[in-house]
Amino acid sequence: MKNIIVHLNKTFDHRVRLGIMSILMVNDWVDFKTLKEMLEVTDGRLASHIKALEAEAFIEVRKQFLGRKPNTSYSATVSGRKAFNDHLDALEKLLKMRD
Amino acid sequence: MTQNKQHHLNTLSEIRSLMERSSRFISLSGLSGVVAGTIALLGAIVAYIYLEIIPFDQERIYYVEAPLATKWGLNFIQFFFLDALAVLLTALSAGIFFTTRKAKQQGLKVWDATSKRLLINLLIPLITGGVFCLALLYHRLLGFVAPTTLIFYGLALVNASKFTLNDIRYLGISEIILGLIALFYLGYGLEFWAIGFGILHIFYGAIMYFKYERKEAVTF
């Protein structure tokens, strides 16, 4: 039992972080506004969770200008993808175990 | 089942839903297909009346008849332009109406990153096909217009299907096959048009409606 728990990644132990990673797994680059609309969270909460994922190098940030407006997009890194997949595998294993 | 397991199950289904919603436009309504197909069939009927020909009648080929027709004070270019425009506008409005309604029922936005991506990928082959057909008209190769519209429309659907419900892919492939067959039976362009834009839309629209929407509609 303990063995499997270890594989559940603490960084993903939150709905918003799981949400961010889920979206970034199936899209190349996603901007802040789209993430916000999809996850239905406030700017501040989204920013703090993004920071946490960024600190683990699970996502990378790209800042650019669209015309005059600054636009920040995010993408999952290779290590982020691997960590997220491991996390999902661990979740699946937990579900397959007998009660 | 323990509470913990239920929690993990919820997490996994939430992840799956987010992945789907963020990468595909899933609000496309089957009813738009059914209505667009019906409108296309009406448009074809009007064309038969204008040309005074009967479906599958090879005695008088439509693109040979067309340049001679002057019914209702319209030459064939004016007539086909108006007929096609009327079909396009009403079918498009119906499509937008039913799709917006479905998105509202799902609590999703109609105009977001996924629908933009869908539209761009649909329009690239579609506009290419449109210009290609203008060139065919310019060179008076009227018989090739109907098969060409079907083929490019099919390619556009296959291309766009990666960004919406997977059924669109099969509709696209059907349109391509139909268009290719039509290339070898040039006199039957109007019939192939009616099948491709009319019957196939109704068929796949109905499949999509019963597959995705009727269940939801019952609970409303």
Side-chain angles (χ1 to χ4, degrees):
Chain A
M1 182 85 188
K2 248 187 186 160
N3 204 8
I4 291 165
I5 295 285
V6 172
H7 287 100
L8 276 180
N9 197 316
K10 266 235 146 110
T11 316
F12 299 129
D13 197 14
H14 195 284
R15 235 196 93 244
V16 177
R17 290 183 201 173
L18 275 175
I20 296 169
M21 285 309 289
S22 309
I23 294 171
L24 295 183
M25 288 295 280
V26 289
N27 291 282
D28 283 345
W29 289 93
V30 181
D31 63 14
F32 191 88
K33 197 175 147 242
T34 307
L35 282 178
K36 198 183 126 184
E37 284 172 0
M38 281 270 164
L39 298 168
E40 294 172 329
V41 286
T42 59
D43 283 24
R45 268 188 52 169
L46 180 58
S48 77
H49 288 299
I50 283 173
K51 227 173 243 168
L53 290 171
E54 217 189 317
E56 296 282 334
F58 287 166
I59 61 175
E60 56 182 309
V61 185
R62 181 180 69 183
K63 290 187 184 181
Q64 57 183 11
F65 279 85
L66 287 179
R68 279 189 180 177
K69 277 188 185 164
N71 180 281
T72 312
S73 307
Y74 305 90
S75 167
T77 60
V78 176
S79 67
R81 282 172 187 278
K82 190 183 173 305
F84 189 70
N85 278 328
D86 289 347
H87 184 75
L88 289 187
D89 286 345
L91 274 182
E92 259 174 22
K93 269 184 203 151
L94 268 179
L95 282 172
K96 275 184 199 147
M97 278 191 342
R98 295 220 186 123
D99 285 69
Chain B
M1 191 176 283
T2 62
Q3 227 180 349
N4 222 356
K5 269 202 173 177
Q6 190 55 48
H7 172 73
H8 291 322
L9 266 183
N10 291 343
T11 307
L12 282 177
S13 72
E14 205 172 330
I15 289 171
R16 181 191 286 168
S17 145
L18 269 173
M19 284 182 167
E20 194 176 70
R21 269 191 293 140
S22 68
S23 61
R24 283 169 182 258
F25 182 70
I26 53 171
S27 304
L28 200 63
S29 166
L31 287 180
S32 9
V34 175
V35 175
T38 311
I39 293 167
L41 284 181
L42 290 176
I45 292 171
V46 176
Y48 282 118
I49 296 172
Y50 172 80
L51 295 172
E52 294 176 345
I53 54 172
I54 303 158
F56 298 105
D57 178 11
Q58 276 292 282
E59 296 290 305
R60 300 167 60 214
I61 296 167
Y62 77 98
Y63 60 84
V64 178
E65 292 293 316
L68 310 170
T70 52
K71 212 176 186 175
W72 305 324
L74 298 166
N75 70 35
F76 81 101
I77 297 229
Q78 289 167 328
F79 168 77
F80 275 106
F81 182 75
L82 285 177
D83 192 25
L85 194 71
V87 168
L88 183 73
L89 287 183
T90 42
L92 214 58
S93 327
I96 291 170
F97 171 77
F98 286 112
T99 296
T100 311
R101 201 181 65 161
K102 188 178 165 189
K104 260 190 201 145
Q105 286 175 353
Q106 292 174 318
L108 298 174
K109 284 196 170 173
V110 179
W111 191 239
D112 64 0
T114 59
S115 51
K116 273 179 218 167
R117 202 160 39 181
L118 170 66
L119 214 59
I120 290 167
N121 284 284
L122 183 75
L123 284 179
I124 294 169
L126 211 57
I127 291 173
T128 311
V131 176
F132 195 95
C133 286
L134 285 179
L136 290 176
L137 281 175
Y138 175 77
H139 294 297
R140 298 269 150 177
L141 295 167
L142 300 185
F144 287 97
V145 173
T148 306
T149 52
L150 287 169
I151 291 169
F152 276 95
Y153 180 56
L155 289 172
L157 290 178
V158 169
N159 198 41
S161 69
K162 289 165 229 148
F163 307 102
T164 184
L165 302 170
N166 206 34
D167 307 69
I168 296 299
R169 187 179 176 80
Y170 298 106
L171 172 61
I173 291 170
S174 312
E175 301 280 4
I176 294 171
I177 294 171
L178 196 69
L180 290 175
I181 297 172
L183 275 177
F184 293 93
Y185 295 92
L186 286 187
Y188 294 108
L190 276 181
E191 287 83 354
F192 279 108
W193 239 346
I195 296 169
F197 290 111
I199 292 166
L200 282 183
H201 275 152
I202 296 173
F203 178 71
Y204 280 95
I207 288 181
M208 284 166 64
Y209 177 72
F210 285 111
K211 204 160 140 190
Y212 305 110
E213 285 158 75
R214 222 172 62 131
K215 256 187 280 164
E216 291 165 32
V218 170
T219 60
F220 262 82

